[in-house]
Amino acid sequence: AAALEEDEIDNDDYYSLLNVRREATQEELKASYRRLCMLYHPDKHRDPELKKQAEQLFNLVHQAYEVLSDPQSRAIYDIYGKRGLEVEGWEVVERRRTPAEIREEYERLQREREERRLQQRTNPKGTISVGVDATDLFDHYEEDYEEISAGGGSAVPHFEINRMHISQSIEAPLTASDTAILSGSLSTHNGNGGGNINLALRRVTSAKGWGEVEFGAGDTHGPLFGLKIFRNLTSRCFATAQCGMQFSSRGVRPGLTTMIARHLDKNTMGYLQWRWGTQSSMNTSIVRDTKSSHFTFAVQLGIPHTFIMMSYQYKFQDDDQTKIKGSVKSGFFGTVVEYGAETKISRHSILGATVSVGVPQGVSLKIKLNRASQTYFFPFHLTDQLLPSAVFYATVGPLVFYLAIQRLVIRPYVRAHQEQELEKQRESSASDIAKKKQEAETAVLLMQESVRRIIEAEESRMGLIILNAWYGKFVTDNSRKHERARVIDVTVPLQCLVKDSKLVLTEASKAGLPGFYDPCVGEEKSLKVLYQFRGVMHQVLCGDTEALRIPKQSHRIDNDN
């Protein structure tokens, strides 16, 4: 089982080889198997070399059929891949178990694996926040205009870092149910600062809840003792309760916070929170989170903060996970309007920018970078007044800067990194690709006679003739003309799959089809087919894992023109 967990197994080889769906029935498997056996049977070839190569392919097809036609072997193959079938004595699972039981066993092993991984990692989380006072950018033009005009001041705006905050936490799993959490933070504001350190012990009491005890100490607030409890009340409702006592020279300051939440529907949660202590309040909110959007509405009554807030976030369905957001918050402190966006700039990094416009807060720009579990936050306070120029530059400036960095730095770096990774992958799989290429060329030789008969039959009834077919990486974007297309000719293998003037390919990588191999490992591939049906030319381009069924009326070339 340990060996199975180390490597990622490609489970589509057998299905792709037989050109059947993963949900294929026994009848579909048998029909495909018989067809390939007729094609690769060694007795059909007199040449000794071709006979030997046909025997190898015949045995491979037979092996694939044996595995997929047996329900238990097929279930094990779907879960573990080829390695699972090679385990001696079947130490992984008992042979008499059903496919459903095998899947349950696999899920149990996966959970145990995750628990072992959890015990080996500390799950560090950190935040660094640097507040910058940049009001001199806009306010000094009015305040110091006369001084600058007279030569008594500097025309260079003055920036000041007026606050900083650093926090870090790590987790140390003690047992399968107990975890220790150590955290600390340091803060400074206008030359005054302090810090604290906290230790929390969390125990998962059951599948329905957990409890946590917290101890803390700091140079400004004194010792802290707290208790937190989480409990699932029903399948749709849970509650938390948190109490604490802060010890200081002024005495003991107790605090209590309770919260109850309920699933209103599949994507909507309702929250009700009550807080008692130095800042007592009652808060209720509704949060709706879907695949394309996130909406929050909240109302709070409290001392000293009473407000109403509404926010909306739209999620673009792109590779960069781009999001745009906006919110309005109004209360006794004034009104604040915020809008911004965030996008993924690398595999583990997300960059976001938010503009905050409020009364009496003024205008601020907040830049946030998430790198794995670390967060870097840079709020720039631009002006205490509502200046249109500050709002304009806070909105346009980050956008222009990001587009420039994206084009000049990020994209070239990502492209170079991807090329390095692809080159490493090609080097490591060079011998395997050479073997697959040789097998594909052998399969094409063995198909020649069958393809000749298929073409004669199709020509006699004006059926489906594959004129040209290519598989691999095509370069169609003008901006990528420097890249070289890497494709192979698969006309013969595709024609061999034609039956009764039809060609059907399943949703699996086409690199595993007889006569195919992967000409560009790790890159996006497509299949381009030029064919003739009923004397009319057709053409289609489909993705590597897309299902394909031809002929189709939409493939007619004269329709495109």
Side-chain angles (χ1 to χ4, degrees), residues 137-210:
L137 267 175
F138 298 95
D139 293 344
H140 86 284
Y141 290 112
E142 298 177 1
E143 297 172 358
D144 303 332
Y145 178 76
E146 295 181 359
E147 294 183 8
I148 296 173
S149 301
S154 173
V156 179
H158 175 68
F159 293 88
E160 178 184 354
I161 296 178
N162 58 2
R163 66 176 63 197
M164 291 185 67
H165 175 78
I166 300 174
S167 64
Q168 186 73 29
S169 68
I170 58 173
E171 296 181 5
L174 305 177
T175 66
S177 58
D178 297 331
T179 303
I181 306 169
L182 181 65
S183 61
S185 65
L186 293 172
S187 299
T188 177
H189 179 50
N190 291 331
N192 299 316
N196 62 73
I197 185 170
N198 294 74
L199 174 64
L201 300 175
R202 179 182 299 169
R203 164 165 285 191
V204 179
T205 55
S206 67
K208 291 186 176 182
W210 50 265

Side-chain angles (χ1 to χ4, degrees), residues 57-328:
L57 291 171
F58 181 83
N59 291 336
L60 185 60
V61 170
H62 180 69
Q63 181 184 6
Y65 176 71
E66 275 193 336
V67 170
L68 299 185
S69 61
D70 177 64
Q72 181 153 320
S73 297
R74 184 174 180 176
I76 295 171
Y77 176 78
D78 287 343
I79 297 170
Y80 297 106
K82 299 175 186 177
R83 293 282 184 89
L85 301 169
E86 297 169 359
V87 175
E88 295 182 3
W90 291 99
E91 289 87 354
V92 178
V93 289
E94 299 176 15
R95 268 194 169 280
R96 62 177 178 271
R97 294 193 179 184
T98 64
E101 291 173 332
I102 293 172
R103 293 182 183 275
E104 292 176 358
E105 180 73 10
Y106 174 72
E107 292 173 357
R108 184 187 67 79
L109 292 173
Q110 287 291 88
R111 288 194 298 270
E112 291 180 356
R113 177 190 179 191
E114 291 302 321
E115 289 177 0
R116 289 195 298 271
R117 286 185 172 182
L118 181 63
Q119 294 176 10
Q120 295 172 356
R121 65 175 183 241
T122 58
N123 190 27
K125 297 179 182 178
T127 300
I128 296 178
S129 177
V130 179
V132 180
D133 184 353
T135 54
D136 203 35
L137 267 175
F138 298 95
D139 293 344
H140 86 284
Y141 290 112
E142 298 177 1
E143 297 172 358
D144 303 332
Y145 178 76
E146 295 181 359
E147 294 183 8
I148 296 173
S149 301
S154 173
V156 179
H158 175 68
F159 293 88
E160 178 184 354
I161 296 178
N162 58 2
R163 66 176 63 197
M164 291 185 67
H165 175 78
I166 300 174
S167 64
Q168 186 73 29
S169 68
I170 58 173
E171 296 181 5
L174 305 177
T175 66
S177 58
D178 297 331
T179 303
I181 306 169
L182 181 65
S183 61
S185 65
L186 293 172
S187 299
T188 177
H189 179 50
N190 291 331
N192 299 316
N196 62 73
I197 185 170
N198 294 74
L199 174 64
L201 300 175
R202 179 182 299 169
R203 164 165 285 191
V204 179
T205 55
S206 67
K208 291 186 176 182
W210 50 265
E212 184 177 290
V213 179
E214 182 180 11
F215 305 91
D219 59 351
T220 56
H221 298 295
L224 167 71
F225 172 77
L227 178 66
K228 187 175 183 179
I229 299 173
F230 170 88
R231 181 75 176 178
N232 281 313
L233 304 179
T234 66
S235 60
R236 298 172 59 87
C237 182
F238 67 87
T240 64
Q242 182 176 4
C243 62
M245 289 187 293
Q246 185 79 57
F247 299 89
S248 67
S249 58
R250 299 180 180 179
V252 180
R253 292 185 296 175
L256 175 65
T257 301
T258 61
M259 189 266 291
I260 185 169
R262 178 178 175 81
H263 287 275
L264 303 181
D265 60 33
K266 181 181 178 182
N267 300 306
T268 308
M269 289 287 296
Y271 298 89
L272 182 61
Q273 183 183 74
W274 176 71
R275 179 181 296 168
W276 173 80
T278 55
Q279 295 185 351
S280 299
S281 65
M282 178 173 286
N283 180 294
T284 182
S285 59
I286 295 177
V287 179
R288 180 170 178 80
D289 191 8
T290 66
K291 185 178 180 181
S292 61
S293 65
H294 183 94
F295 173 79
T296 301
F297 177 79
V299 177
Q300 176 172 303
L301 300 175
I303 302 173
H305 298 301
T306 295
F307 64 83
I308 181 171
M309 187 271 291
M310 183 170 62
S311 68
Y312 179 80
Q313 182 182 86
Y314 181 78
K315 308 172 186 177
F316 291 91
Q317 305 303 310
D318 56 3
D319 295 336
D320 294 333
Q321 301 177 9
T322 305
K323 302 174 184 177
I324 56 174
K325 54 188 176 182
S327 67
V328 179

Side-chain angles (χ1 to χ4, degrees), residues 328-364:
V328 179
K329 187 176 182 180
S330 182
F332 291 166
F333 55 83
T335 301
V336 178
V337 176
E338 293 188 343
Y339 58 90
E342 68 176 43
T343 186
K344 190 174 182 180
I345 59 176
S346 69
R347 183 179 179 183
H348 301 291
S349 301
I350 297 177
L351 180 64
T354 303
V355 178
S356 177
V357 182
V359 177
Q361 291 85 353
V363 181
S364 298

